[in-house]
Amino acid sequence: MAMQPWFTEAKLGIFLHWGIYAVDGTLESWAFYADEVPHDQYMRQADGFTAAGYDPKAWAELFARVGARYAVLTSRHHDGVALWDTAHGDLNVVRHTPAGRDLLGPYAEALREHGLKVGFYYSHSDWNHPLYPSVRSQGRAPWVNESRWVAPQDGAPDDEQAWQRYLDYRDAQVGELVDRFHPDLLWFDGEWERSEQQWRLAPLAERILTADPRTVLNARMLSYGDYATPEQGLPMRAPDGPWELCLTINDSWGFRQSDTNFKSVGQLVRYFAETIGLGGNLLLDVGPTAAGVIPAEQVERLEGLGAWIARHADAVWGTVAGLPAGHHYGPSTRSADGRTLYLVCFGSPGELAVKGLRTAVKRAYVLGTGAELGHRVTGGHGEVPGVTWIDGPRDADVDPHATVIAVELDGDLDLYDGQGRN
Ligand code: GLC
């Protein structure tokens, strides 16, 4: 199935890492894998996972308000604790935590009520499943085979039958997600521990796409993925095809009291503008507490980003990737008809110089305030265009995070990227 247009038009999604790790604020799953926290202590966090303040309608209302078009919630992380009453495997929040109920259904329903697409994160790996460490990984990083949570120990042979039963469990859980909650997107993870063949991805993809051929799959479904998922860092060039940058709002995927290194609203605006300027989506991650509440510091930042988006809606919605690097010193987007450029400027921009622009400018103005800006071209000869100068905005028209200059073109965008004339 071709990529769904809703995804490439979405621009902003919210990622939620929510699980028992929020109780003590340990690293999600990795805490016991890396022996940072003893396994039994990690698992005891289940006793404090209450979901007592879980209000998915408030989540959905917030996400819609800030301009997100979809959300992705960890239905089951590498620790194997499912957030729904799965009939498969032993670990879930219904049976093992005071939350005591399915948390996915109400989430999916609330998102849909607010017109948001429903995504679930799901880890292929389950480090708590007794059958998971039954085979060594083929063709993957060698360090993967050393962990007792991942591979047979002390020279024990691979048990291929046990591995197939593990995959049956994974497939049954994914089948439940698909049949009960009808996700628009499945965000897989943990793929690095086995080869595509070992993961048995072909029948899994078929199972998902038979239930709904429109389901969007991320690249951690390997060759069945619909889009690339660079993580925690902006690519320098746009990845091929649709893509999404996943990024934590501080330094952690899940809730950690100790992590107060929040990105500023200005930084989030910059990440967002750079991402959409390269044609991608930003999947911004928050970590709800064990009670299910998104902490105020995180909400404030989402709202700050959302306010910037609302002030600059035309530069965001319905736009595509902007100018290639070198024409304008900053990210940019382009209206779908190609007739308007949106130049993002950080700090207090002075006069702008757009290079390589062959199309004449009809009008330039500050997006949001509407202030008109003068413009003129100097130089240029033959096929080499001159520089298009655009007056800098007055202080009153400068946005605290990023000012957007809308440039209406007098024709189709025509760019020059040559080496000039001899
Ligand atoms: C990494 C981490 C995982 C996190 C994910 C989000 O794969 O293993 O903990 O959920 O990144 O992209």
Side-chain angles (χ1 to χ4, degrees), residues 292-308:
V293 175
I294 302 172
E297 299 93 324
Q298 305 192 24
V299 172
E300 267 166 38
R301 281 157 180 88
L302 292 184
E303 285 177 336
L305 174 61
W308 184 89

Side-chain angles (χ1 to χ4, degrees), residues 15 17 28-30 74 77-78 121 127 187 189-192 220 231 246 253:
F15 207 178
H17 275 67
E28 73 290 344
S29 309
W30 290 98
T74 45
H77 205 261
H78 317 314
Y121 165 109
W127 297 331
W187 208 104
D189 195 19
E191 84 297 348
W192 65 86
R220 300 174 195 191
E231 180 170 319
C246 55
W253 295 104

Side-chain angles (χ1 to χ4, degrees), residues 14-345:
I14 304 296
F15 207 178
L16 297 127
H17 275 67
W18 192 30
I20 63 168
Y21 38 86
V23 172
D24 296 342
T26 68
L27 262 185
E28 73 290 344
S29 309
W30 290 98
F32 72 86
Y33 177 101
D35 280 327
E36 250 180 48
V37 171
H39 182 259
D40 56 341
Q41 186 184 327
Y42 180 93
M43 294 311 292
R44 267 202 305 278
Q45 294 182 97
D47 301 339
F49 188 79
T50 64
Y54 178 41
D55 183 355
K57 288 191 196 317
W59 285 9
E61 188 277 324
L62 170 69
F63 303 162
R65 183 154 45 84
V66 304
R69 299 284 164 92
Y70 64 110
V72 178
L73 171 65
T74 45
S75 65
R76 203 214 68 194
H77 205 261
H78 317 314
D79 65 8
V81 183
L83 294 195
W84 79 102
D85 51 333
T86 175
H88 308 282
D90 174 55
L91 277 179
N92 62 71
V93 297
V94 185
R95 217 182 298 162
H96 294 279
T97 76
R101 64 191 191 280
D102 160 45
L103 301 174
L104 299 186
Y107 155 88
E109 195 181 318
L111 290 184
R112 293 207 162 98
E113 273 169 23
H114 282 86
L116 296 165
K117 297 291 183 188
V118 175
F120 290 124
Y121 165 109
Y122 183 87
S123 170
H124 291 293
S125 61
D126 177 346
W127 297 331
N128 258 317
H129 198 289
L131 298 177
Y132 186 69
S134 53
V135 294
R136 290 167 181 80
S137 62
Q138 290 161 5
R140 309 300 288 182
W143 59 268
V144 157
N145 282 328
E146 288 158 21
S147 170
R148 67 192 148 129
W149 307 108
V150 173
Q153 300 292 292
D154 306 322
D158 283 10
D159 181 344
E160 191 51 43
Q161 275 184 358
W163 176 245
Q164 295 302 320
R165 290 198 336 254
Y166 173 79
L167 293 175
D168 293 344
Y169 147 77
R170 179 206 56 182
D171 291 353
Q173 284 203 327
V174 174
E176 278 182 330
L177 289 176
V178 162
D179 294 341
R180 277 180 61 181
F181 309 116
H182 313 288
D184 302 288
L185 184 155
L186 283 171
W187 208 104
F188 285 96
D189 195 19
E191 84 297 348
W192 65 86
E193 288 177 346
R194 302 286 190 258
S195 67
E196 170 144 352
Q197 206 63 27
Q198 285 182 302
W199 282 127
R200 225 169 63 183
L201 293 187
L204 178 62
E206 193 183 310
R207 170 74 175 84
I208 297 165
L209 297 176
T210 302
D212 187 345
R214 294 164 305 181
T215 317
V216 176
L217 303 173
N218 73 341
R220 300 174 195 191
M221 269 296 278
L222 299 172
S223 69
Y224 297 91
D226 295 311
Y227 71 93
T229 56
E231 180 170 319
Q232 295 288 41
L234 272 163
M236 294 303 292
R237 280 175 292 114
D240 296 329
W243 65 280
E244 168 196 80
L245 170 68
C246 55
L247 182 79
T248 51
I249 204 161
N250 48 7
D251 293 329
S252 310
W253 295 104
F255 173 72
R256 304 194 79 181
Q257 196 93 52
S258 57
D259 182 356
T260 55
N261 193 26
F262 295 104
K263 291 172 184 71
S264 65
V265 173
Q267 288 173 329
L268 293 176
V269 166
R270 190 180 275 252
Y271 272 109
F272 179 67
E274 301 253 10
T275 302
I276 66 171
L278 290 174
N281 291 346
L282 178 64
L283 183 66
L284 183 56
D285 179 82
V286 297
T289 65
V293 175
I294 302 172
E297 299 93 324
Q298 305 192 24
V299 172
E300 267 166 38
R301 281 157 180 88
L302 292 184
E303 285 177 336
L305 174 61
W308 184 89
I309 292 173
R311 288 198 296 279
H312 301 95
D314 291 350
V316 176
W317 306 119
T319 63
V320 295
L323 298 173
H327 295 274
H328 158 66
Y329 294 122
S332 59
T333 60
R334 199 152 56 93
S335 61
D337 68 3
R339 291 300 182 95
T340 306
L341 293 173
Y342 297 100
L343 308 178
V344 181
C345 307

